[in-house]
Amino acid sequence: MIYRLLTGDDSSAFCHKVSEALSKGWELYGDPAYAFDAEHGVMRCAQAVTKKIDAPYSPDMKLGAQ
């Protein structure tokens, strides 16, 4: 199992990032998180995703390519 934490501004681009991960076989892990970035005046989002893979984990993996 591999893990990624997707982050970004609360925008359609973030939603597309999560949707793309789901279309590649990643599964949502837990609830999304939101926080206000007062310095930049925007909401920030985070969503954890996991994926079962058939290869052993390596720190050299490019998780976004999985």
Side-chain angles (χ1 to χ4, degrees):
M1 178 90 56
I2 53 178
Y3 170 93
R4 290 175 67 193
L5 181 64
L6 305 174
T7 61
D9 291 350
D10 186 11
S11 67
S12 63
F14 177 76
C15 295
H16 286 291
K17 183 188 290 190
V18 174
S19 296
E20 179 181 24
L22 295 174
S23 75
K24 292 181 177 181
W26 292 84
E27 296 182 13
L28 298 176
Y29 183 83
D31 294 328
Y34 299 93
F36 183 68
D37 179 346
E39 183 176 333
H40 296 98
V42 296
M43 291 296 292
R44 305 276 186 198
C45 304
Q47 175 64 60
V49 292
T50 60
K51 186 176 185 180
K52 292 180 183 176
I53 58 171
D54 292 330
Y57 170 76
S58 166
D60 298 326
M61 288 180 151
K62 295 193 183 297
L63 298 177
Q66 295 295 322

